[in-house]
């Protein structure tokens, strides 16, 4: 009888502790097996590695969906949290990574880029993101952040023979190391003041004690590190160079899934840990948001390089996204999640269209390279235009609803009406450079009359992202409710 009870207890413990971590354990194990398979593979195109990587992502996503939590549980000495927010972010990142690989395969096949390692770095980076969004202590958050970042540094440097790529990798590595140093320095001060590394314990300390000057000093360092990771002004200097210099297939990934992970990092630290000093980090985020919207939109107006235009556009979008966090309530957090998910989808397609149009090893760099796309390939021209119009925030595309939700969240906060007006005005400025791209696609004469013939995976990836911005724009309520449910325990 005792043996039966102990066995039942063991099974119960395994279900309670092991099952929530199963997606990460499966991803780690499967990626390690794929690494060994790739080592002994004689297939130069690494088709098997690509197919297995997509299969691993599919199974990981299915596991997350089947174990989607209905409660908030703290596991492994409270270093790991299993809640609807983490599951929502994980599902999103798995889907974004899978689509990014669809765009990446044709690109790297045409260039002398290490192929098997390329897929593996995506998987290990995703593993870091999944651990990051499930971190409930400063230690587990930092470990997840570093695993994600180290893989991204390598991905940016994959095209070793390209000088721009090497330069971008060095800049990204140095700036990323500085950002990690800022966050770690802030964490050390937090631990020194509170004696705690768990976010719940830090929140409890702030409820019982007034925040000291040292703790506010630590918060400045942490928010600065987060601003580096997001690419918010005045810590945006790496974004245009890295987006431009990195292989376009890497930029596709860099502009999507890691942004969602960075959102999870911000929510865990600021909302779960430092809600007691909301006014302090709220003021810091206001400065970052206004600066990012202003600099991102104005500098984007002067760009002739399409990748740099999208980079400065990303900086401006970070400014809009921060509005929801500034609101400091559940409605605002849900609006920010809604915004970052919709932006990740459109950015994925926006950079993916540059791969779609590339001919062989020739890159699409200038906005003028899009001339006549609507005449040469009307369907592709229409899909690409949908993505840029969604980024501009025009109805009926999902980008309109995303901007509307974050602006509404700010309007509901006393004293922040001026911030909503700034965001609306900056959105009008952003229309100019987005509509300029659409004008080039449909109204400028093509310099080359040859019809574009893209790989099937490129057509699929572009179709998924473009149709998604229309479908979510016509039916935004479902995604917004999904985002709101993620914050039901805050």
């Amino acid at each position: 009888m005792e043996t039966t009870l102990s066995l039942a207890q063991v099974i119960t413990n395994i279900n309670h502790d092991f099952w929530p971590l199963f997606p990460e354990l499966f991803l780690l194990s499967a990626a390690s097996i794929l690494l060994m398979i790739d080592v002994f593979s004689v297939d130069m195109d690494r088709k098997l590695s690509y197919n297995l990587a997509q299969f691993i992502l599919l199974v990981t996503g299915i596991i997350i969906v089947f174990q989607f939590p209905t409660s908030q549980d703290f596991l492994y000495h409270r270093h790991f949290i299993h809640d609807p927010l983490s599951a929502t972010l994980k599902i999103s990142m798995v889907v974004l990574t899978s689509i990014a690989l669809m765009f990446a395969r044709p690109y790297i096949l045409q260039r002398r880029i290490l192929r098997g390692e390329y897929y593996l770095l995506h998987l290990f980076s995703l593993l870091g993101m999944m651990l990051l969004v499930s971190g409930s202590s400063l230690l587990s958050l930092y470990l997840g952040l570093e695993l994600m970042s180290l893989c991204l540094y390598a991905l940016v440097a994959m095209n070793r023979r390209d000088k721009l790529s090497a330069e971008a990798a060095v800049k990204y590595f140095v700036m990323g190391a500085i950002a990690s140093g800022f966050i770690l320095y802030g964490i050390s001060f937090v631990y020194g003041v509170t004696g705690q590394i768990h976010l719940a314990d830090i929140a409890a300390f702030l409820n019982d004690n007034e925040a000291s000057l040292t703790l506010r000093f630590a918060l400045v360092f942490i928010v600065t590190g987060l601003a580096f990771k997001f690419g918010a002004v005045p810590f945006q200097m790496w974004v245009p160079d890295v987006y431009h210099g990195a292989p376009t297939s890497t930029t596709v990934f860099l502009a999507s899934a890691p942004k969602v992970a960075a959102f999870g990092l911000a929510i865990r630290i600021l909302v779960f840990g430092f809600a007691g000093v909301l006014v302090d980090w709220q003021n810091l985020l206001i400065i970052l948001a206004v600066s990012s919207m202003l600099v991102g939109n104005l500098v984007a107006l002067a760009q002739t390089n399409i990748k740099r235009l999208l980079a400065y556009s990303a900086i401006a979008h970070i400014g809009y996204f921060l509005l929801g966090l500034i609101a400091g309530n559940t409605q605002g957090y849900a609006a920010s999640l809604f915004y970052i998910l919709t932006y990740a989808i459109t950015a994925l397609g926006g950079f993916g269209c540059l791969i779609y149009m590339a001919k062989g090893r020739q890159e699409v760099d200038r906005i003028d390279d899009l001339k006549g796309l609507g005449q040469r390939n009307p369907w592709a021209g229409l899909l690409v235009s949908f993505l840029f119009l969604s980024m501009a925030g025009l109805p009926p595309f999902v980008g309109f609803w995303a901007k509307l939700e974050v602006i509404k969240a700010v309007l509901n906060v006393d004293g922040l009406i001026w911030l909503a007006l700034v965001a609306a005005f900056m959105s009008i400025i952003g229309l100019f450079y987005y509509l300029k791209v659409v004008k080039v696609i449909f109204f400028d004469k093509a310099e080359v009359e040859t019809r574009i013939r893209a790989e099937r995976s490129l057509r699929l990836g572009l179709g998924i992202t473009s149709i998604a911005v229309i479908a979510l724009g016509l039916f935004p309520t479902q995604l917004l409710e999904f985002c709101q449910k993620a914050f039901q325990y805050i």
Side-chain angles (χ1 to χ4, degrees), residues 34 50 63 69 140 142 174 178 210 232 269 277 298 319 339 367 394 425 430 444 454 464:
L34 178 57
Y50 169 76
I63 294 171
S140 54
Y142 188 76
V174 172
I178 292 172
E210 185 178 349
I269 291 179
V277 288
L298 292 180
Y339 195 100
I367 296 176
L394 293 177
F425 180 70
D444 287 9
I464 290 173

Side-chain angles (χ1 to χ4, degrees), residues 92-93 95-97 99-100 129 243 249-262 340-341 343-349 351:
S92 306
M93 294 184 299
V95 173
L96 291 169
T97 303
I99 299 174
M129 296 178 208
Y243 277 35
S249 57
T250 298
T251 310
V252 167
F253 181 59
L254 195 63
S256 54
K259 291 286 192 275
V260 178
I340 205 67
L341 291 180
Y343 169 72
I345 294 170
T346 52
L348 198 64
F351 283 102

Side-chain angles (χ1 to χ4, degrees), residues 326-348:
I326 291 168
N329 52 44
T330 305
Q331 179 197 359
Y333 304 146
S336 277
L337 176 56
F338 182 69
Y339 195 100
I340 205 67
L341 291 180
T342 55
Y343 169 72
I345 294 170
T346 52
L348 198 64

Side-chain angles (χ1 to χ4, degrees), residues 383-397:
L383 294 181
V384 173
S385 298
F386 287 165
L387 292 165
F388 279 91
L389 292 174
S390 181
M391 288 186 194
L394 293 177
F397 305 102

